[in-house]
């Protein structure tokens, strides 16, 4: 989702896993997060130095199953001087696709679909050139569908998104080669809804996020006031919640490929 990634600017997600046998000793905690042991202290000094170069974001690092660093750096809102903390909510942009893919695999576990299924099984009659496209091809960006079909904040419904996708020219024969496609993940989000009988966010919340203890993840997060701003070269982009969304989340040029907080 290139345009969103540019908009997010310096807001950065770091999810790092370090392995090792050394035990972690508590170094201290602050309102911005916590730091433990020599490794945590070293990483904390590194990210703190990056603040001088404009870095804003949070880092969560574990070693041997223990958290050594869980802290925010820089500002989540420059105008109001609001600091980034370990609890700051932010748009994960195209990392949203991993949740969409996980939802498809969960539905396969539940026996509601197979990744080898053609898209016509869920989307109805499709044009002949798109009949060979499978869910696996959408997941792996090998469907031949183009990347985007409009602005991600355009008020596009699910039926309209599907109609446009079926009318679009393929860039290559399905399954022939890799070509990154946000549109493919829009279609996967539609399949999640059709196969589950539930709205996309509701299914992810019930089957993925809540069982994993992710209670501040989704389109409708409980702490909206702590969502980080994104920044572009021209200034403050605001938060995703400052941009046009449908009542139940992003419109369908964005749903499934991005927008998750």
């Amino acid at each position: 989702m290139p345009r969103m990634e540019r908009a997010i600017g310096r807001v950065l997600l770091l999810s790092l896993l370090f392995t090792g046998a050394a035990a972690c000793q508590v170094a201290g905690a602050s309102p911005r997060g916590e730091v433990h042991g020599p490794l945590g202290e070293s990483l904390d000094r590194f990210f703190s130095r990056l603040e001088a170069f404009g870095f804003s974001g949070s880092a969560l690092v574990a070693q041997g199953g223990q958290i050594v660093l869980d802290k925010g750096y820089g500002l989540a809102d420059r105008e109001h001087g609001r600091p980034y903390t370990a609890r700051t909510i932010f748009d994960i942009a195209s990392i949203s696709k991993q949740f969409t893919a996980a939802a498809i695999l969960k539905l396969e576990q539940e026996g509601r679909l197979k990744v080898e299924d053609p898209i016509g099984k869920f989307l109805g009659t499709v044009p002949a050139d798109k009949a060979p496209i499978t869910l696996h091809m959408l997941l792996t960006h090998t469907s031949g569908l183009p990347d985007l079909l409009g602005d991600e904040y355009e008020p596009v419904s699910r039926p309209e998104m599907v109609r446009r996708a079926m009318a679009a020219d393929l860039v290559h024969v399905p399954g022939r080669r890799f070509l990154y496609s946000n549109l493919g993940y829009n279609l996967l989000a539609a399949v999640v809804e059709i196969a589950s009988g539930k709205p996309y966010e509701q299914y992810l919340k019930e089957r993925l996020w809540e069982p994993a203890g992710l209670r501040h993840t989704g389109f409708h997060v409980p702490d909206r006031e702590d969502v980080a701003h994104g920044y572009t070269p021209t200034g403050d982009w605001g938060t995703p919640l400052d941009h046009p969304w449908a009542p139940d989340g992003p419109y369908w040029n964005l749903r499934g490929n991005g927008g998750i907080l």
Side-chain angles (χ1 to χ4, degrees):
M1 201 174 60
R3 286 180 297 192
M4 175 64 77
E5 289 165 352
R6 288 196 297 270
I8 293 302
R10 298 191 179 99
V11 177
L12 177 64
L13 167 68
L14 294 173
S15 180
L16 308 173
L17 178 63
F18 287 79
T19 58
C24 298
Q25 301 299 319
V26 174
S30 75
R32 302 193 69 171
E34 56 184 296
V35 181
H36 304 278
L39 176 58
E41 292 174 355
S42 177
L43 290 168
D44 183 45
R45 288 192 298 270
F46 172 74
F47 287 117
S48 295
R49 288 196 300 269
L50 290 184
E51 286 183 304
F53 297 93
F55 170 68
S56 294
S58 61
L60 172 61
V61 183
Q63 180 187 49
Q66 296 180 323
I67 291 175
V68 298
L69 180 70
D70 186 13
K71 187 176 175 181
Y73 302 87
L75 295 176
D77 181 350
R78 297 173 188 171
E79 181 181 356
H80 298 96
R82 178 163 56 89
Y84 224 111
T85 76
R87 300 302 176 194
T88 299
I89 306 284
F90 53 95
D91 192 321
I92 64 171
S94 280
I95 297 173
S96 302
K97 292 181 176 66
Q98 309 313 309
F99 286 120
T100 302
I104 292 292
L105 297 181
K106 188 67 175 178
L107 286 163
E108 184 172 50
Q109 287 183 339
E110 295 170 352
R112 302 190 190 205
L113 55 78
K114 295 181 179 180
V115 295
E116 295 85 2
D117 288 338
I119 59 174
K121 181 175 180 178
F122 305 96
L123 303 181
T125 303
V126 301
D129 63 334
K130 298 175 183 67
I133 297 176
T134 65
L135 301 182
H136 183 267
M137 292 177 188
L138 297 180
L139 288 165
T140 57
H141 299 281
T142 57
S143 68
L145 289 166
D147 183 20
L148 296 164
L149 291 179
D151 185 82
E152 55 199 20
Y153 296 108
E154 183 183 355
V156 175
S157 66
R158 192 183 87 189
E160 175 62 13
M161 178 276 293
V162 173
R163 186 196 69 76
R164 292 183 183 185
M166 295 303 100
D169 292 332
L170 292 179
V171 182
H172 62 76
V173 175
R176 181 70 56 86
R177 62 186 178 88
F178 174 89
L179 180 71
Y180 192 86
S181 176
N182 282 288
L183 177 59
Y185 272 76
N186 298 145
L187 292 176
L188 286 169
V191 171
V192 169
E193 293 198 341
I194 293 165
S196 70
K198 296 180 179 181
Y200 171 85
E201 183 189 31
Q202 181 182 344
Y203 181 78
L204 269 63
K205 182 172 292 186
E206 292 176 358
R207 305 301 291 155
L208 298 178
W209 297 329
E210 289 182 351
L214 298 174
R215 311 204 185 280
H216 301 268
T217 301
F219 300 140
H220 299 87
V221 291
D223 24 22
R224 294 166 61 97
E225 70 282 353
D226 199 24
V227 177
H229 285 231
Y231 293 89
T232 71
T234 58
D236 189 344
W237 179 82
T239 77
L241 303 174
D242 297 325
H243 297 263
W245 273 18
D248 60 343
Y251 290 109
W252 278 86
N253 282 341
L254 183 58
R255 193 171 309 202
N257 68 48
I260 291 174
L261 310 177

